[in-house]
Amino acid sequence: MDNFWTFLQQTAACSLTAAFLLILQRMFRDKLSPKWRYAVWLVLLVRLLVPAGWSVGSPLDVTVWFTCLQLLAELPLSSAWSSPWQLLTPRAGVPLLPAGGAPRSPTDWLFLLYLAGAVVCAAWLLLGWARLRGAVRRGRPLAEERLARIRDHAAALGLKAPARAVECPVPGPFLMGVLRPVLVVPQGWEFDGQVVLHELIHLKNRDVAAGWLTALFRCVHWCNPLLWKVFDRIDNQREQRCDQQVLERLRGEERRDYGRTLLSMAEDGVLRVPGATSMANGGAHIKARIEAIARFKTFPKGMGLVTGCMTVVLILQLACPFPVSAQAPVPAFVTQLGAGGQLAYAVTHRPTTPAGALDAFSKGIYKGTDDPNGAFTCVAAVTPWEELPALVEKLERTWAEFESNPFSRIDACEAAYRTGPIFRGLYGDGDGGYWTQMYFFRDGESRSNILWQRRTLSLRPQPDGTWTAEELSSAQGALPEDWRENYYGDTTLPIPEKPIYTWTAQADGVEIELWPDSNLRVQDAYVNGSAVTDLDLNAFGRSVRTERPDPDAQFVSCTGAMSGRLTNTTDEVKRFTLVARQFAGEDGTVFHSDDGFGSPFFSDPFFSHSSSALLGGYDIGGLELELRPGQSIPLYYGGQGHGRGRAGLPLEQCVSASVLEGQYQNRDTGEIFWLDLQREVNLQ
């Protein structure tokens, strides 16, 4: 917690968890022993220690709410320690010194006030502990025979005795010290085996250290009255647990005597000092403890297992939850909170995979014509932090245009490309990110006419492990009229423009242009129209299409082929055999086609890169061709389709080839040419 908003987020998350556990204890009041009622507070301990931002997806998650509040409050301010464009993720469950210089805004000063309060609270508790420690140091050690009696009693009970025992002017016995515990008794105290047993149980349970832990969090959350009340309850239930364990060692009349001993302490002073246990914890609490003794019963051992399992489940769900499925729509309250709520939701659900970034961006484009709010949420999730202010302004302009001309929204829907998306290739940009081309389609004027819209995207990894997407260029066009002749469902769409990576070479007067082609899909594509249904975009790896972006999405299908163009620049007929093999980097992967790889002039030593299984593109193995003088022909070779709708495809096998190697053999002369294939990058 290094600013006002992360503190509010953390203390609110802890308060909700504490309130939930209070309700749970109320429901199971008579079903759980004091031991296990106390153990359930382990859930709150984890919640106190784990930063609230790590638990996005918990049923009690408050991240979106407080991110929205931060955004709305910080927009008109110029805070040194927080920003409206800053992701609300506490780095720790305890306060940290903020970075950013001197405070400049009300929220900065409020956090400074909070830090001062935490210091004062800690000083107050430490001062009380120091005074008590001084009194104990001035106390008189018990005589050896009295100390020996305590040790003998502990040995008979099978418990460890404290190293020291002193008597001081204190209201009642207590245990003090974590590393070197000491038993402190009032002056003139007469040995009482049940009181000693109570303090020995505290020693066995390390309750002194537990008291220090609650004292620490009292300081951290000094201004939260609910948590202070809960910490009081934890301290009292610690005593009730100790009572339970004492009673389990006593029999019949001994238990009633123990109750009388507690009753005699009802008027004693309450020792509220960290680092010390006290059998007397106030008249009201002692009354509740005596009532518990009156209805004491031995709980079945199986209840311990039940409580332990329940505690683990609650920790996983409330403090360290698993990611929430993306199948549910964006929560309704996000839209009701306006731009602030949508932005808050977006920045707390940023994609963690390249496919997740493409899923969010494509849904933002799809929703852009009829749902500006939904589009804003999707696009904001993949927008770099520094560009979010401009995105908010764009949303405001869009809404203003719709309000001034409601029919523009209808016109935009009719002209929109609403079938897709299909992602053409996933090309490494050489800097840890990727490039790809995103295509949407719509019906043209006739059944055979299909129009396409392309956006070239750059995917960039961020230091926090998320991914952003940025549009580099766009274009529109139409599929060729005969596109069905070269499309068989398991190959790539015959889009007339070139992909991002192409390779060119010349051999024996033949110009060779090749590009390994692939079509990727993250979820089932939207299909809106009649002609576009012939594209059969969901042929492989059918999956569930979710309304909101899936931050952890994987590619569910990949089809591949080898495309290109061959041109004979001479006045002779050229008969030749062409071989090409694709690789994804030095350590990358390759898909092997079986035909032609055994030809005598195709030798593995020629190919200098390692290989395994690449799902996109297609290798050319011994393809025999003939070109007339001046003839130029398109090349569509091979076809493969892979789908895994549920588990997703491995990312490393979905990347497009970055290296292409091949050779050309003149079938008339037998001459072999090693192709010097030069890669070109097209981002326009």
Side-chain angles (χ1 to χ4, degrees), residues 94 248 548:
V94 296
E248 289 173 352
R548 65 179 180 182

Side-chain angles (χ1 to χ4, degrees), residues 263-330:
L263 186 61
S264 67
M265 298 180 178
E267 302 300 325
D268 292 348
V270 180
L271 187 66
R272 293 190 179 277
V273 176
T277 66
S278 176
M279 191 170 177
N281 61 342
H285 300 300
I286 285 181
K287 178 182 177 182
R289 291 165 65 186
I290 292 176
E291 291 175 352
I293 291 173
R295 60 175 184 267
F296 169 78
K297 63 179 179 180
T298 302
F299 288 80
K301 292 184 178 180
M303 288 305 298
L305 178 61
V306 171
T307 308
C309 294
M310 183 173 65
T311 301
V312 171
V313 170
L314 289 175
I315 288 174
L316 293 176
Q317 288 298 315
L318 301 182
C320 306
F322 296 104
V324 174
S325 170
Q327 293 186 14
V330 175

Side-chain angles (χ1 to χ4, degrees), residues 90-219:
R91 291 182 292 161
V94 296
L96 303 173
L97 291 177
R104 297 197 302 261
S105 71
T107 54
D108 289 344
W109 285 106
L110 283 173
F111 186 66
L112 195 62
L113 177 63
Y114 158 73
L115 292 177
V119 171
V120 170
C121 183
W124 174 59
L125 292 176
L126 288 174
L127 181 60
W129 171 81
R131 287 177 177 173
L132 183 62
R133 181 177 175 82
V136 171
R137 283 189 171 182
R138 294 190 299 270
R140 185 177 63 183
L142 288 184
E144 186 61 33
E145 61 274 11
R146 298 174 70 188
L147 182 59
R149 189 174 181 184
I150 293 174
R151 289 173 178 168
D152 292 342
H153 188 63
L157 295 170
L159 298 172
K160 181 181 178 181
R164 298 172 55 230
V166 300
E167 55 181 0
C168 301
V170 292
F174 63 87
L175 196 67
M176 187 176 187
V178 176
L179 300 178
R180 299 186 61 188
V182 55
L183 177 63
V184 183
V185 297
Q187 290 178 339
W189 176 76
E190 294 295 332
F191 178 84
D192 187 330
Q194 294 178 351
V195 173
V196 171
L197 173 59
H198 183 94
E199 299 305 329
L200 292 178
I201 294 293
H202 276 312
L203 179 61
K204 176 177 179 291
N205 294 335
R206 295 181 175 85
D207 286 338
V208 175
W212 272 113
L213 196 59
T214 55
L216 168 66
F217 287 111
R218 284 180 189 271
C219 300

Side-chain angles (χ1 to χ4, degrees), residues 220-510:
V220 173
H221 300 275
W222 64 270
C223 54
N224 189 327
L226 173 62
L227 288 182
W228 268 65
K229 182 177 179 63
V230 168
F231 294 144
D232 286 340
R233 188 180 184 90
I234 292 173
D235 291 340
N236 292 325
Q237 288 191 353
R238 189 182 304 123
E239 291 298 326
Q240 292 177 11
R241 179 189 64 165
C242 191
D243 291 339
Q244 174 79 14
Q245 292 174 304
V246 168
L247 293 174
E248 289 173 352
R249 292 173 176 266
L250 301 179
R251 296 290 181 270
E253 190 62 30
E254 293 177 330
R255 293 172 180 169
R256 286 187 284 274
D257 290 341
Y258 183 74
R260 296 187 189 100
T261 300
L262 277 180
L263 186 61
S264 67
M265 298 180 178
E267 302 300 325
D268 292 348
V270 180
L271 187 66
R272 293 190 179 277
V273 176
T277 66
S278 176
M279 191 170 177
N281 61 342
H285 300 300
I286 285 181
K287 178 182 177 182
R289 291 165 65 186
I290 292 176
E291 291 175 352
I293 291 173
R295 60 175 184 267
F296 169 78
K297 63 179 179 180
T298 302
F299 288 80
K301 292 184 178 180
M303 288 305 298
L305 178 61
V306 171
T307 308
C309 294
M310 183 173 65
T311 301
V312 171
V313 170
L314 289 175
I315 288 174
L316 293 176
Q317 288 298 315
L318 301 182
C320 306
F322 296 104
V324 174
S325 170
Q327 293 186 14
V330 175
F333 75 85
V334 170
T335 304
Q336 294 170 1
L337 289 174
Q342 294 157 50
L343 183 60
Y345 180 86
V347 299
T348 54
H349 293 77
R350 295 176 79 84
T352 60
T353 63
L358 292 175
D359 184 51
F361 189 91
S362 61
K363 286 176 178 173
I365 297 300
Y366 181 83
K367 296 173 182 287
T369 54
D370 62 347
D371 182 13
N373 285 325
F376 173 77
T377 303
C378 296
V379 175
V382 293
T383 300
W385 292 103
E386 61 274 12
E387 298 178 15
L388 286 175
L391 187 64
V392 173
E393 294 179 1
K394 181 179 179 181
L395 175 67
E396 294 174 349
R397 290 195 304 270
T398 301
W399 269 115
E401 292 174 1
F402 280 165
E403 290 177 358
S404 62
N405 183 12
F407 295 103
S408 64
R409 190 167 177 175
I410 300 175
D411 296 338
C413 289
E414 292 178 351
Y417 292 78
R418 297 179 63 79
T419 293
I422 289 296
F423 302 99
R424 190 182 188 190
L426 190 67
Y427 304 89
D429 64 2
D431 193 27
Y434 298 99
W435 293 314
T436 189
Q437 294 173 320
M438 179 181 72
Y439 284 86
F440 276 92
F441 304 90
R442 70 180 178 91
D443 289 348
E445 297 179 356
S446 65
R447 174 71 186 184
S448 62
N449 186 227
I450 295 179
L451 306 180
W452 53 262
Q453 181 185 66
R454 183 261 301 161
R455 286 178 170 85
T456 300
L457 307 178
S458 172
L459 306 178
R460 297 293 305 155
Q462 302 302 305
D464 61 358
T466 62
W467 287 79
T468 60
E470 178 185 4
E471 181 176 328
L472 302 180
S473 62
S474 63
Q476 297 179 0
L479 294 182
E481 292 291 334
D482 60 348
W483 67 269
R484 291 176 179 82
E485 298 178 8
N486 299 306
Y487 183 62
Y488 306 102
D490 63 346
T491 184
T492 57
L493 292 168
I495 298 173
E497 66 170 358
K498 298 177 183 178
I500 292 178
Y501 281 177
T502 60
W503 282 263
T504 59
Q506 189 170 22
D508 194 29
V510 176

